[in-house]
Amino acid sequence: RKEVEQDPGPFNVPEGATVAFNCTYSNSASQSFFWYRQDCRKEPKLLMSVYSSGNEDGRFTAQLNRASQYISLLIRDSKLSDSATYLCVVNMRKGGGADGLTFGKGTHLIIQP
Amino acid sequence: DAGVIQSPRHEVTEMGQEVTLRCKPISGHDYLFWYRQTMMRGLELLIYFNNNVPIDDSGMPEDRFSAKMPNASFSTLKIQPSEPRDSAVYFCASSLTGPTLLGLSNEKLFFGSGTQLSVL
């Protein structure tokens, strides 16, 4: 099983719709979770951290389900500018005491006018 | 703040040549990371430094890759000799805190604009 797995998409969604996608992670000891956004030919940028109780930032809602080992991102009232690749990121401790952020390959979202 | 600065933005080279990628982290950030991104493998951590000291280089593919951080404001990633399969976008990132604390604080990882490397 891959460490962090996402549906690559693309998700084609009409403007104004609600879209949600999930990410699963393999290491139950994972400590921290994030969603990053990456525009075409640009660097990844933090969209939001994901907290145990779930959190919301404007039109974006992130949820964590530790029992099933997945996190989700929901975007309401989608805008054209939401078109991007959304990277699921998990901090998991690896062998030898080293730790690090493990990135999923991303889910490609296209908002259509 | 200028952000994380990488150079060059694009590099095209021939197989067998030495390639050096450069990174200037955000001033005051104690952690510096080198990532590689490809369509097949996504974003992979190659190595990271804390206070100029390499902490985890388990992601470095092989001996052809080496990274240095001679001071707090500069790091290099060198590939010698380069091969076509090294073609990718290489990102440098920096942060105030280490990976473990990133999610437990309000700190975050800042990426540079990346270097698009093409090895022919």
Side-chain angles (χ1 to χ4, degrees), chain A residues 31-32 34 36 38 42-44 46 51 87 91 93 98-101 103 105, chain B residues 35 37 40-43 48 56 91 99-100 102-104 108-109 111-113:
Chain A
Q31 301 166 323
S32 308
F34 312 87
Y36 273 69
Q38 186 172 24
K42 298 285 189 180
E43 71 273 20
L46 179 65
Y51 303 121
L87 304 173
N91 177 29
R93 188 162 292 275
D99 59 1
L101 298 181
F103 285 74
K105 292 184 181 179
Chain B
Y35 284 90
Q37 188 173 37
M40 288 293 295
R41 302 175 68 90
L43 202 61
Y48 80 89
D56 180 8
F91 287 104
T100 300
L102 276 174
L104 304 176
K108 58 183 179 180
L109 200 58
F111 283 84
S113 299

PDB file of all heavy atoms in Angstrom, chain A residues 31-32 34 36 38 42-44 46 51 87 91 93 98-101 103 105, chain B residues 35 37 40-43 48 56 91 99-100 102-104 108-109 111-113:
ATOM      1  N   GLN A  31       1.230  11.890  12.352  1.00  0.00           N
ATOM      2  CA  GLN A  31       0.956  12.879  13.371  1.00  0.00           C
ATOM      3  C   GLN A  31       0.260  14.137  12.862  1.00  0.00           C
ATOM      4  O   GLN A  31      -0.568  14.709  13.545  1.00  0.00           O
ATOM      5  CB  GLN A  31       2.283  13.275  14.033  1.00  0.00           C
ATOM      6  CG  GLN A  31       3.008  12.114  14.669  1.00  0.00           C
ATOM      7  CD  GLN A  31       4.455  12.446  15.018  1.00  0.00           C
ATOM      8  OE1 GLN A  31       5.114  13.161  14.286  1.00  0.00           O
ATOM      9  NE2 GLN A  31       4.921  11.925  16.131  1.00  0.00           N
ATOM     10  N   SER A  32       0.644  14.554  11.677  1.00  0.00           N
ATOM     11  CA  SER A  32       0.137  15.825  11.170  1.00  0.00           C
ATOM     12  C   SER A  32      -0.294  15.656   9.721  1.00  0.00           C
ATOM     13  O   SER A  32       0.267  14.852   8.986  1.00  0.00           O
ATOM     14  CB  SER A  32       1.215  16.907  11.247  1.00  0.00           C
ATOM     15  OG  SER A  32       1.759  16.981  12.533  1.00  0.00           O
ATOM     16  N   PHE A  34      -1.932  17.777   6.109  1.00  0.00           N
ATOM     17  CA  PHE A  34      -2.063  19.065   5.441  1.00  0.00           C
ATOM     18  C   PHE A  34      -2.647  18.870   4.047  1.00  0.00           C
ATOM     19  O   PHE A  34      -2.509  17.799   3.451  1.00  0.00           O
ATOM     20  CB  PHE A  34      -0.689  19.732   5.261  1.00  0.00           C
ATOM     21  CG  PHE A  34       0.175  19.740   6.493  1.00  0.00           C
ATOM     22  CD1 PHE A  34       0.999  18.654   6.776  1.00  0.00           C
ATOM     23  CD2 PHE A  34       0.190  20.816   7.356  1.00  0.00           C
ATOM     24  CE1 PHE A  34       1.805  18.642   7.902  1.00  0.00           C
ATOM     25  CE2 PHE A  34       0.991  20.822   8.479  1.00  0.00           C
ATOM     26  CZ  PHE A  34       1.801  19.735   8.745  1.00  0.00           C
ATOM     27  N   TYR A  36      -1.955  20.845   0.459  1.00  0.00           N
ATOM     28  CA  TYR A  36      -1.218  21.847  -0.288  1.00  0.00           C
ATOM     29  C   TYR A  36      -1.878  21.994  -1.656  1.00  0.00           C
ATOM     30  O   TYR A  36      -2.448  21.053  -2.204  1.00  0.00           O
ATOM     31  CB  TYR A  36       0.252  21.430  -0.474  1.00  0.00           C
ATOM     32  CG  TYR A  36       1.163  21.823   0.656  1.00  0.00           C
ATOM     33  CD1 TYR A  36       1.051  21.224   1.908  1.00  0.00           C
ATOM     34  CD2 TYR A  36       2.143  22.793   0.488  1.00  0.00           C
ATOM     35  CE1 TYR A  36       1.888  21.582   2.950  1.00  0.00           C
ATOM     36  CE2 TYR A  36       3.000  23.163   1.522  1.00  0.00           C
ATOM     37  CZ  TYR A  36       2.862  22.544   2.745  1.00  0.00           C
ATOM     38  OH  TYR A  36       3.689  22.899   3.774  1.00  0.00           O
ATOM     39  N   GLN A  38      -1.120  23.185  -5.655  1.00  0.00           N
ATOM     40  CA  GLN A  38      -0.057  23.457  -6.613  1.00  0.00           C
ATOM     41  C   GLN A  38      -0.678  23.827  -7.951  1.00  0.00           C
ATOM     42  O   GLN A  38      -1.402  23.033  -8.570  1.00  0.00           O
ATOM     43  CB  GLN A  38       0.863  22.233  -6.785  1.00  0.00           C
ATOM     44  CG  GLN A  38       2.066  22.513  -7.669  1.00  0.00           C
ATOM     45  CD  GLN A  38       3.067  21.364  -7.686  1.00  0.00           C
ATOM     46  OE1 GLN A  38       2.726  20.220  -7.423  1.00  0.00           O
ATOM     47  NE2 GLN A  38       4.319  21.670  -7.994  1.00  0.00           N
ATOM     48  N   LYS A  42       4.011  25.722 -10.999  1.00  0.00           N
ATOM     49  CA  LYS A  42       4.331  26.531  -9.829  1.00  0.00           C
ATOM     50  C   LYS A  42       4.722  25.622  -8.672  1.00  0.00           C
ATOM     51  O   LYS A  42       4.612  24.410  -8.757  1.00  0.00           O
ATOM     52  CB  LYS A  42       3.110  27.373  -9.436  1.00  0.00           C
ATOM     53  CG  LYS A  42       2.673  28.345 -10.494  1.00  0.00           C
ATOM     54  CD  LYS A  42       3.600  29.533 -10.591  1.00  0.00           C
ATOM     55  CE  LYS A  42       3.036  30.596 -11.505  1.00  0.00           C
ATOM     56  NZ  LYS A  42       3.960  31.768 -11.593  1.00  0.00           N
ATOM     57  N   GLU A  43       5.145  26.256  -7.585  1.00  0.00           N
ATOM     58  CA  GLU A  43       5.509  25.486  -6.412  1.00  0.00           C
ATOM     59  C   GLU A  43       4.286  25.187  -5.558  1.00  0.00           C
ATOM     60  O   GLU A  43       3.286  25.908  -5.595  1.00  0.00           O
ATOM     61  CB  GLU A  43       6.551  26.249  -5.582  1.00  0.00           C
ATOM     62  CG  GLU A  43       6.034  27.473  -4.857  1.00  0.00           C
ATOM     63  CD  GLU A  43       6.065  28.718  -5.714  1.00  0.00           C
ATOM     64  OE1 GLU A  43       6.116  28.612  -6.942  1.00  0.00           O
ATOM     65  OE2 GLU A  43       6.005  29.813  -5.123  1.00  0.00           O
ATOM     66  N   PRO A  44       4.337  24.123  -4.749  1.00  0.00           N
ATOM     67  CA  PRO A  44       3.235  23.850  -3.814  1.00  0.00           C
ATOM     68  C   PRO A  44       3.150  24.932  -2.736  1.00  0.00           C
ATOM     69  O   PRO A  44       4.171  25.447  -2.287  1.00  0.00           O
ATOM     70  CB  PRO A  44       3.621  22.508  -3.186  1.00  0.00           C
ATOM     71  CG  PRO A  44       4.678  21.932  -4.067  1.00  0.00           C
ATOM     72  CD  PRO A  44       5.389  23.100  -4.677  1.00  0.00           C
ATOM     73  N   LEU A  46       0.917  25.869   0.983  1.00  0.00           N
ATOM     74  CA  LEU A  46       0.008  25.339   1.999  1.00  0.00           C
ATOM     75  C   LEU A  46      -1.385  25.935   1.834  1.00  0.00           C
ATOM     76  O   LEU A  46      -1.556  27.158   1.802  1.00  0.00           O
ATOM     77  CB  LEU A  46       0.538  25.654   3.397  1.00  0.00           C
ATOM     78  CG  LEU A  46      -0.340  25.184   4.557  1.00  0.00           C
ATOM     79  CD1 LEU A  46      -0.415  23.664   4.601  1.00  0.00           C
ATOM     80  CD2 LEU A  46       0.173  25.737   5.876  1.00  0.00           C
ATOM     81  N   TYR A  51      -6.923  19.377  11.231  1.00  0.00           N
ATOM     82  CA  TYR A  51      -6.937  19.095  12.659  1.00  0.00           C
ATOM     83  C   TYR A  51      -7.908  17.969  12.968  1.00  0.00           C
ATOM     84  O   TYR A  51      -8.840  17.699  12.216  1.00  0.00           O
ATOM     85  CB  TYR A  51      -7.291  20.363  13.441  1.00  0.00           C
ATOM     86  CG  TYR A  51      -6.354  21.510  13.169  1.00  0.00           C
ATOM     87  CD1 TYR A  51      -6.814  22.723  12.669  1.00  0.00           C
ATOM     88  CD2 TYR A  51      -4.983  21.375  13.392  1.00  0.00           C
ATOM     89  CE1 TYR A  51      -5.951  23.756  12.404  1.00  0.00           C
ATOM     90  CE2 TYR A  51      -4.114  22.412  13.124  1.00  0.00           C
ATOM     91  CZ  TYR A  51      -4.599  23.595  12.626  1.00  0.00           C
ATOM     92  OH  TYR A  51      -3.735  24.616  12.366  1.00  0.00           O
ATOM     93  N   LEU A  87      -2.523  18.560  -3.172  1.00  0.00           N
ATOM     94  CA  LEU A  87      -1.615  17.545  -2.647  1.00  0.00           C
ATOM     95  C   LEU A  87      -1.948  17.253  -1.186  1.00  0.00           C
ATOM     96  O   LEU A  87      -2.020  18.168  -0.359  1.00  0.00           O
ATOM     97  CB  LEU A  87      -0.165  18.029  -2.736  1.00  0.00           C
ATOM     98  CG  LEU A  87       0.344  18.458  -4.112  1.00  0.00           C
ATOM     99  CD1 LEU A  87       1.735  19.077  -3.993  1.00  0.00           C
ATOM    100  CD2 LEU A  87       0.387  17.282  -5.050  1.00  0.00           C
ATOM    101  N   ASN A  91       2.663  13.840   7.803  1.00  0.00           N
ATOM    102  CA  ASN A  91       3.928  13.735   8.513  1.00  0.00           C
ATOM    103  C   ASN A  91       3.956  12.402   9.211  1.00  0.00           C
ATOM    104  O   ASN A  91       3.161  12.141  10.098  1.00  0.00           O
ATOM    105  CB  ASN A  91       4.064  14.871   9.524  1.00  0.00           C
ATOM    106  CG  ASN A  91       5.335  14.746  10.344  1.00  0.00           C
ATOM    107  OD1 ASN A  91       6.324  14.195   9.866  1.00  0.00           O
ATOM    108  ND2 ASN A  91       5.310  15.210  11.559  1.00  0.00           N
ATOM    109  N   ARG A  93       6.521   9.334  10.929  1.00  0.00           N
ATOM    110  CA  ARG A  93       7.857   9.023  11.410  1.00  0.00           C
ATOM    111  C   ARG A  93       8.359   7.766  10.703  1.00  0.00           C
ATOM    112  O   ARG A  93       7.650   6.773  10.616  1.00  0.00           O
ATOM    113  CB  ARG A  93       7.828   8.790  12.921  1.00  0.00           C
ATOM    114  CG  ARG A  93       9.212   8.645  13.538  1.00  0.00           C
ATOM    115  CD  ARG A  93       9.133   8.851  15.039  1.00  0.00           C
ATOM    116  NE  ARG A  93       8.815  10.221  15.377  1.00  0.00           N
ATOM    117  CZ  ARG A  93       9.710  11.185  15.471  1.00  0.00           C
ATOM    118  NH1 ARG A  93      10.974  10.943  15.223  1.00  0.00           N
ATOM    119  NH2 ARG A  93       9.341  12.412  15.775  1.00  0.00           N
ATOM    120  N   ALA A  98      14.099   9.199  11.749  1.00  0.00           N
ATOM    121  CA  ALA A  98      13.926  10.340  10.859  1.00  0.00           C
ATOM    122  C   ALA A  98      12.447  10.547  10.599  1.00  0.00           C
ATOM    123  O   ALA A  98      11.654   9.623  10.612  1.00  0.00           O
ATOM    124  CB  ALA A  98      14.662  10.084   9.549  1.00  0.00           C
ATOM    125  N   ASP A  99      12.083  11.760  10.383  1.00  0.00           N
ATOM    126  CA  ASP A  99      10.685  12.020  10.058  1.00  0.00           C
ATOM    127  C   ASP A  99      10.642  12.953   8.871  1.00  0.00           C
ATOM    128  O   ASP A  99      11.639  13.446   8.411  1.00  0.00           O
ATOM    129  CB  ASP A  99       9.948  12.616  11.263  1.00  0.00           C
ATOM    130  CG  ASP A  99      10.559  13.912  11.735  1.00  0.00           C
ATOM    131  OD1 ASP A  99      11.532  14.360  11.136  1.00  0.00           O
ATOM    132  OD2 ASP A  99      10.059  14.476  12.711  1.00  0.00           O
ATOM    133  N   GLY A 100       9.459  13.137   8.373  1.00  0.00           N
ATOM    134  CA  GLY A 100       9.372  14.012   7.217  1.00  0.00           C
ATOM    135  C   GLY A 100       7.977  14.061   6.678  1.00  0.00           C
ATOM    136  O   GLY A 100       7.100  13.296   7.077  1.00  0.00           O
ATOM    137  N   LEU A 101       7.764  15.000   5.810  1.00  0.00           N
ATOM    138  CA  LEU A 101       6.475  15.155   5.169  1.00  0.00           C
ATOM    139  C   LEU A 101       6.440  14.285   3.926  1.00  0.00           C
ATOM    140  O   LEU A 101       7.314  14.368   3.071  1.00  0.00           O
ATOM    141  CB  LEU A 101       6.250  16.617   4.784  1.00  0.00           C
ATOM    142  CG  LEU A 101       6.220  17.624   5.930  1.00  0.00           C
ATOM    143  CD1 LEU A 101       5.966  19.025   5.400  1.00  0.00           C
ATOM    144  CD2 LEU A 101       5.172  17.248   6.955  1.00  0.00           C
ATOM    145  N   PHE A 103       4.320  13.420   0.612  1.00  0.00           N
ATOM    146  CA  PHE A 103       3.332  14.025  -0.264  1.00  0.00           C
ATOM    147  C   PHE A 103       2.636  12.965  -1.109  1.00  0.00           C
ATOM    148  O   PHE A 103       3.284  12.053  -1.629  1.00  0.00           O
ATOM    149  CB  PHE A 103       3.997  15.026  -1.215  1.00  0.00           C
ATOM    150  CG  PHE A 103       4.384  16.321  -0.582  1.00  0.00           C
ATOM    151  CD1 PHE A 103       5.479  16.406   0.275  1.00  0.00           C
ATOM    152  CD2 PHE A 103       3.665  17.482  -0.841  1.00  0.00           C
ATOM    153  CE1 PHE A 103       5.839  17.608   0.859  1.00  0.00           C
ATOM    154  CE2 PHE A 103       4.021  18.695  -0.265  1.00  0.00           C
ATOM    155  CZ  PHE A 103       5.101  18.750   0.584  1.00  0.00           C
ATOM    156  N   LYS A 105       0.546  12.179  -4.678  1.00  0.00           N
ATOM    157  CA  LYS A 105       0.823  12.643  -6.038  1.00  0.00           C
ATOM    158  C   LYS A 105      -0.140  13.728  -6.475  1.00  0.00           C
ATOM    159  O   LYS A 105       0.084  14.374  -7.497  1.00  0.00           O
ATOM    160  CB  LYS A 105       0.773  11.482  -7.023  1.00  0.00           C
ATOM    161  CG  LYS A 105       1.897  10.487  -6.841  1.00  0.00           C
ATOM    162  CD  LYS A 105       1.841   9.416  -7.919  1.00  0.00           C
ATOM    163  CE  LYS A 105       2.945   8.398  -7.716  1.00  0.00           C
ATOM    164  NZ  LYS A 105       2.898   7.327  -8.744  1.00  0.00           N
TER     165      LYS A 105
ATOM    166  N   TYR B  35      13.482  18.657  -2.588  1.00  0.00           N
ATOM    167  CA  TYR B  35      12.490  17.719  -3.108  1.00  0.00           C
ATOM    168  C   TYR B  35      12.680  17.581  -4.611  1.00  0.00           C
ATOM    169  O   TYR B  35      13.170  18.483  -5.288  1.00  0.00           O
ATOM    170  CB  TYR B  35      11.069  18.243  -2.863  1.00  0.00           C
ATOM    171  CG  TYR B  35      10.566  18.119  -1.443  1.00  0.00           C
ATOM    172  CD1 TYR B  35      10.774  19.134  -0.526  1.00  0.00           C
ATOM    173  CD2 TYR B  35       9.841  17.003  -1.031  1.00  0.00           C
ATOM    174  CE1 TYR B  35      10.290  19.030   0.780  1.00  0.00           C
ATOM    175  CE2 TYR B  35       9.356  16.890   0.270  1.00  0.00           C
ATOM    176  CZ  TYR B  35       9.581  17.917   1.166  1.00  0.00           C
ATOM    177  OH  TYR B  35       9.100  17.817   2.447  1.00  0.00           O
ATOM    178  N   GLN B  37      10.260  16.396  -8.030  1.00  0.00           N
ATOM    179  CA  GLN B  37       8.897  16.085  -8.455  1.00  0.00           C
ATOM    180  C   GLN B  37       8.875  15.570  -9.884  1.00  0.00           C
ATOM    181  O   GLN B  37       9.400  16.208 -10.802  1.00  0.00           O
ATOM    182  CB  GLN B  37       7.991  17.318  -8.347  1.00  0.00           C
ATOM    183  CG  GLN B  37       6.516  17.019  -8.591  1.00  0.00           C
ATOM    184  CD  GLN B  37       5.622  18.214  -8.319  1.00  0.00           C
ATOM    185  OE1 GLN B  37       5.985  19.358  -8.604  1.00  0.00           O
ATOM    186  NE2 GLN B  37       4.448  17.965  -7.756  1.00  0.00           N
ATOM    187  N   MET B  40       5.608  10.508 -12.466  1.00  0.00           N
ATOM    188  CA  MET B  40       5.488   9.114 -12.026  1.00  0.00           C
ATOM    189  C   MET B  40       5.522   8.978 -10.504  1.00  0.00           C
ATOM    190  O   MET B  40       4.769   8.208  -9.922  1.00  0.00           O
ATOM    191  CB  MET B  40       6.628   8.283 -12.621  1.00  0.00           C
ATOM    192  CG  MET B  40       6.480   8.026 -14.104  1.00  0.00           C
ATOM    193  SD  MET B  40       5.064   6.961 -14.449  1.00  0.00           S
ATOM    194  CE  MET B  40       5.583   5.447 -13.666  1.00  0.00           C
ATOM    195  N   ARG B  41       6.389   9.704  -9.858  1.00  0.00           N
ATOM    196  CA  ARG B  41       6.645   9.489  -8.432  1.00  0.00           C
ATOM    197  C   ARG B  41       6.139  10.612  -7.534  1.00  0.00           C
ATOM    198  O   ARG B  41       6.200  10.513  -6.307  1.00  0.00           O
ATOM    199  CB  ARG B  41       8.141   9.288  -8.217  1.00  0.00           C
ATOM    200  CG  ARG B  41       8.711   8.107  -9.009  1.00  0.00           C
ATOM    201  CD  ARG B  41      10.215   8.025  -8.861  1.00  0.00           C
ATOM    202  NE  ARG B  41      10.596   7.661  -7.509  1.00  0.00           N
ATOM    203  CZ  ARG B  41      10.764   6.410  -7.083  1.00  0.00           C
ATOM    204  NH1 ARG B  41      10.591   5.404  -7.914  1.00  0.00           N
ATOM    205  NH2 ARG B  41      11.110   6.163  -5.837  1.00  0.00           N
ATOM    206  N   GLY B  42       5.662  11.702  -8.146  1.00  0.00           N
ATOM    207  CA  GLY B  42       5.177  12.806  -7.330  1.00  0.00           C
ATOM    208  C   GLY B  42       6.329  13.561  -6.697  1.00  0.00           C
ATOM    209  O   GLY B  42       7.439  13.601  -7.215  1.00  0.00           O
ATOM    210  N   LEU B  43       6.064  14.136  -5.533  1.00  0.00           N
ATOM    211  CA  LEU B  43       7.044  14.958  -4.827  1.00  0.00           C
ATOM    212  C   LEU B  43       7.753  14.086  -3.797  1.00  0.00           C
ATOM    213  O   LEU B  43       7.132  13.549  -2.891  1.00  0.00           O
ATOM    214  CB  LEU B  43       6.322  16.108  -4.145  1.00  0.00           C
ATOM    215  CG  LEU B  43       7.086  17.363  -3.777  1.00  0.00           C
ATOM    216  CD1 LEU B  43       7.673  18.018  -5.008  1.00  0.00           C
ATOM    217  CD2 LEU B  43       6.176  18.328  -3.047  1.00  0.00           C
ATOM    218  N   TYR B  48      17.167  16.693   3.951  1.00  0.00           N
ATOM    219  CA  TYR B  48      16.921  17.954   4.617  1.00  0.00           C
ATOM    220  C   TYR B  48      18.002  18.253   5.648  1.00  0.00           C
ATOM    221  O   TYR B  48      18.646  17.345   6.183  1.00  0.00           O
ATOM    222  CB  TYR B  48      15.509  18.054   5.192  1.00  0.00           C
ATOM    223  CG  TYR B  48      15.221  17.382   6.516  1.00  0.00           C
ATOM    224  CD1 TYR B  48      15.407  18.058   7.730  1.00  0.00           C
ATOM    225  CD2 TYR B  48      14.673  16.111   6.567  1.00  0.00           C
ATOM    226  CE1 TYR B  48      15.080  17.469   8.940  1.00  0.00           C
ATOM    227  CE2 TYR B  48      14.343  15.511   7.776  1.00  0.00           C
ATOM    228  CZ  TYR B  48      14.545  16.199   8.961  1.00  0.00           C
ATOM    229  OH  TYR B  48      14.223  15.604  10.174  1.00  0.00           O
ATOM    230  N   ASP B  56      18.546  13.931   7.314  1.00  0.00           N
ATOM    231  CA  ASP B  56      17.998  12.729   6.687  1.00  0.00           C
ATOM    232  C   ASP B  56      18.272  12.790   5.197  1.00  0.00           C
ATOM    233  O   ASP B  56      17.705  13.614   4.496  1.00  0.00           O
ATOM    234  CB  ASP B  56      16.495  12.630   6.952  1.00  0.00           C
ATOM    235  CG  ASP B  56      15.859  11.403   6.329  1.00  0.00           C
ATOM    236  OD1 ASP B  56      16.604  10.529   5.809  1.00  0.00           O
ATOM    237  OD2 ASP B  56      14.622  11.290   6.359  1.00  0.00           O
ATOM    238  N   PHE B  91      12.692  21.083  -6.183  1.00  0.00           N
ATOM    239  CA  PHE B  91      12.254  22.170  -5.319  1.00  0.00           C
ATOM    240  C   PHE B  91      13.122  22.212  -4.067  1.00  0.00           C
ATOM    241  O   PHE B  91      13.467  21.183  -3.492  1.00  0.00           O
ATOM    242  CB  PHE B  91      10.798  21.974  -4.899  1.00  0.00           C
ATOM    243  CG  PHE B  91       9.785  22.233  -5.960  1.00  0.00           C
ATOM    244  CD1 PHE B  91       9.140  21.190  -6.604  1.00  0.00           C
ATOM    245  CD2 PHE B  91       9.445  23.539  -6.312  1.00  0.00           C
ATOM    246  CE1 PHE B  91       8.185  21.431  -7.585  1.00  0.00           C
ATOM    247  CE2 PHE B  91       8.494  23.788  -7.283  1.00  0.00           C
ATOM    248  CZ  PHE B  91       7.866  22.736  -7.922  1.00  0.00           C
ATOM    249  N   PRO B  99      10.037  18.933  10.560  1.00  0.00           N
ATOM    250  CA  PRO B  99       8.837  18.269  10.053  1.00  0.00           C
ATOM    251  C   PRO B  99       7.854  17.874  11.150  1.00  0.00           C
ATOM    252  O   PRO B  99       6.649  17.987  10.980  1.00  0.00           O
ATOM    253  CB  PRO B  99       9.398  17.045   9.338  1.00  0.00           C
ATOM    254  CG  PRO B  99      10.786  17.409   8.970  1.00  0.00           C
ATOM    255  CD  PRO B  99      11.267  18.322  10.064  1.00  0.00           C
ATOM    256  N   THR B 100       8.369  17.416  12.271  1.00  0.00           N
ATOM    257  CA  THR B 100       7.479  16.942  13.328  1.00  0.00           C
ATOM    258  C   THR B 100       6.614  18.061  13.881  1.00  0.00           C
ATOM    259  O   THR B 100       5.442  17.854  14.186  1.00  0.00           O
ATOM    260  CB  THR B 100       8.300  16.336  14.479  1.00  0.00           C
ATOM    261  OG1 THR B 100       9.067  15.247  13.976  1.00  0.00           O
ATOM    262  CG2 THR B 100       7.377  15.830  15.577  1.00  0.00           C
ATOM    263  N   LEU B 102       5.798  20.911  12.353  1.00  0.00           N
ATOM    264  CA  LEU B 102       5.092  21.738  11.375  1.00  0.00           C
ATOM    265  C   LEU B 102       3.590  21.675  11.561  1.00  0.00           C
ATOM    266  O   LEU B 102       2.882  22.650  11.382  1.00  0.00           O
ATOM    267  CB  LEU B 102       5.461  21.309   9.950  1.00  0.00           C
ATOM    268  CG  LEU B 102       6.746  21.910   9.390  1.00  0.00           C
ATOM    269  CD1 LEU B 102       7.084  21.297   8.051  1.00  0.00           C
ATOM    270  CD2 LEU B 102       6.616  23.425   9.258  1.00  0.00           C
ATOM    271  N   GLY B 103       3.088  20.513  11.898  1.00  0.00           N
ATOM    272  CA  GLY B 103       1.650  20.398  12.051  1.00  0.00           C
ATOM    273  C   GLY B 103       1.161  20.796  13.421  1.00  0.00           C
ATOM    274  O   GLY B 103      -0.030  20.946  13.647  1.00  0.00           O
ATOM    275  N   LEU B 104       2.076  20.972  14.350  1.00  0.00           N
ATOM    276  CA  LEU B 104       1.689  21.268  15.722  1.00  0.00           C
ATOM    277  C   LEU B 104       1.845  22.749  16.038  1.00  0.00           C
ATOM    278  O   LEU B 104       1.587  23.184  17.135  1.00  0.00           O
ATOM    279  CB  LEU B 104       2.539  20.442  16.692  1.00  0.00           C
ATOM    280  CG  LEU B 104       2.477  18.926  16.458  1.00  0.00           C
ATOM    281  CD1 LEU B 104       3.418  18.205  17.406  1.00  0.00           C
ATOM    282  CD2 LEU B 104       1.056  18.417  16.640  1.00  0.00           C
ATOM    283  N   LYS B 108       4.897  26.779   8.601  1.00  0.00           N
ATOM    284  CA  LYS B 108       4.650  26.011   7.396  1.00  0.00           C
ATOM    285  C   LYS B 108       5.912  25.945   6.554  1.00  0.00           C
ATOM    286  O   LYS B 108       6.904  26.621   6.815  1.00  0.00           O
ATOM    287  CB  LYS B 108       3.513  26.624   6.585  1.00  0.00           C
ATOM    288  CG  LYS B 108       3.710  28.056   6.156  1.00  0.00           C
ATOM    289  CD  LYS B 108       2.466  28.559   5.426  1.00  0.00           C
ATOM    290  CE  LYS B 108       2.619  29.989   4.993  1.00  0.00           C
ATOM    291  NZ  LYS B 108       1.416  30.496   4.291  1.00  0.00           N
ATOM    292  N   LEU B 109       5.834  25.094   5.538  1.00  0.00           N
ATOM    293  CA  LEU B 109       6.934  24.873   4.615  1.00  0.00           C
ATOM    294  C   LEU B 109       6.786  25.842   3.451  1.00  0.00           C
ATOM    295  O   LEU B 109       5.716  25.958   2.853  1.00  0.00           O
ATOM    296  CB  LEU B 109       6.837  23.426   4.122  1.00  0.00           C
ATOM    297  CG  LEU B 109       8.049  22.747   3.512  1.00  0.00           C
ATOM    298  CD1 LEU B 109       9.206  22.739   4.484  1.00  0.00           C
ATOM    299  CD2 LEU B 109       7.658  21.318   3.151  1.00  0.00           C
ATOM    300  N   PHE B 111       8.134  26.836  -0.271  1.00  0.00           N
ATOM    301  CA  PHE B 111       8.860  26.294  -1.407  1.00  0.00           C
ATOM    302  C   PHE B 111       9.411  27.406  -2.293  1.00  0.00           C
ATOM    303  O   PHE B 111       8.796  28.472  -2.427  1.00  0.00           O
ATOM    304  CB  PHE B 111       7.932  25.425  -2.267  1.00  0.00           C
ATOM    305  CG  PHE B 111       7.659  24.059  -1.695  1.00  0.00           C
ATOM    306  CD1 PHE B 111       6.667  23.872  -0.751  1.00  0.00           C
ATOM    307  CD2 PHE B 111       8.399  22.966  -2.111  1.00  0.00           C
ATOM    308  CE1 PHE B 111       6.407  22.611  -0.222  1.00  0.00           C
ATOM    309  CE2 PHE B 111       8.151  21.692  -1.600  1.00  0.00           C
ATOM    310  CZ  PHE B 111       7.155  21.527  -0.653  1.00  0.00           C
ATOM    311  N   GLY B 112      10.542  27.130  -2.906  1.00  0.00           N
ATOM    312  CA  GLY B 112      11.029  27.976  -3.977  1.00  0.00           C
ATOM    313  C   GLY B 112      10.272  27.668  -5.259  1.00  0.00           C
ATOM    314  O   GLY B 112       9.437  26.758  -5.300  1.00  0.00           O
ATOM    315  N   SER B 113      10.584  28.382  -6.296  1.00  0.00           N
ATOM    316  CA  SER B 113       9.879  28.228  -7.577  1.00  0.00           C
ATOM    317  C   SER B 113      10.308  26.996  -8.355  1.00  0.00           C
ATOM    318  O   SER B 113       9.680  26.646  -9.347  1.00  0.00           O
ATOM    319  CB  SER B 113      10.108  29.469  -8.446  1.00  0.00           C
ATOM    320  OG  SER B 113       9.607  30.621  -7.796  1.00  0.00           O
TER     321      SER B 113
END
